Amino acid sequence: MLMKSIAAGLAGTALLATVAFAQNPTATTDKSPTAATTATTTTTTASGEWRASKMVGLKIYNDANESVGSINDLLMDKSGAVKIAVIGVGGFLGMGEHLVAVPYEKLKFVNEAVAYTGTGANPSAKPAATTTTGAATGTEKTTTTTTTASSSSKWYPDHAVFNATKDELKNMPEFKYSE
């Protein structure tokens, strides 16, 4: 009896499968373009652009090359422009971290590695570069920095600079996500 039931089930399945394969998809006579054919892209390559996924975790240094935190999140307006960077300060492995929100335009992104501050020879260091800031009124400030070589083909900057100490950032109001 069991064998007859199994044989009848297989025969019924075979008949249903045959009917399903015999059906042809219906042809449409509508000449209007579909959404898939009207979709356009702006570009197929994006040289010089940064991946947002690579920005999270990016180290933040101050002007004295001291590590002050890292980017935890980027907040944007409805048009897609990034307005705020949420920076995590202190803590260890995400525990005890103090989150602060800073205006995105206040961050300066750098493609070169952080200046080498150790003792001894650094074989990968470039020659020192001199930069001048301020107006040419005799009040300009000259600084010399040494940076190491980095790849310009990355999809993210090496680090960001924000002019504040770690203590100043910890004293800022804590950022909390509203639900």
Side-chain angles (χ1 to χ4, degrees):
M1 181 69 180
L2 181 63
M3 286 303 266
K4 288 183 182 180
S5 296
I6 291 174
L10 288 174
T13 304
L15 286 174
L16 290 175
T18 305
V19 172
F21 284 120
Q23 292 181 351
N24 289 331
T26 57
T28 59
T29 57
D30 185 16
K31 299 294 182 186
S32 65
T34 62
T37 59
T38 59
T40 59
T41 59
T42 57
T43 181
T44 57
T45 61
S47 63
E49 303 294 330
W50 291 333
R51 292 176 57 187
S53 61
K54 296 290 187 177
M55 298 297 280
V56 173
L58 192 72
K59 297 289 183 195
I60 307 288
Y61 293 86
N62 61 14
D63 290 333
N65 287 338
E66 300 167 333
S67 177
V68 294
S70 63
I71 295 178
N72 277 29
D73 208 349
L74 298 173
L75 305 178
M76 51 189 151
D77 61 13
K78 291 181 182 183
S79 70
V82 177
K83 296 294 184 182
I84 295 173
V86 178
I87 298 176
V89 183
F92 181 71
L93 297 175
M95 301 295 292
E97 194 171 47
H98 181 75
L99 297 178
V100 295
V102 299
Y104 185 75
E105 67 269 2
K106 298 288 184 182
L107 294 174
K108 182 178 108 182
F109 294 94
V110 181
N111 286 326
E112 299 294 324
V114 177
Y116 179 71
T117 58
T119 58
N122 183 8
S124 64
K126 290 182 182 179
T130 304
T131 58
T132 304
T133 58
T137 60
T139 61
E140 58 267 30
K141 176 183 171 187
T142 303
T143 58
T144 302
T145 58
T146 303
T147 57
T148 59
S150 72
S151 170
S152 61
S153 64
K154 294 189 315 184
W155 283 84
Y156 56 94
D158 183 75
H159 67 279
V161 176
F162 184 71
N163 192 17
T165 65
K166 190 178 277 192
D167 289 333
E168 289 172 339
L169 287 172
K170 284 182 180 178
N171 290 331
M172 288 177 68
E174 185 173 9
F175 174 79
K176 294 188 180 188
Y177 293 96
S178 61
E179 305 263 348

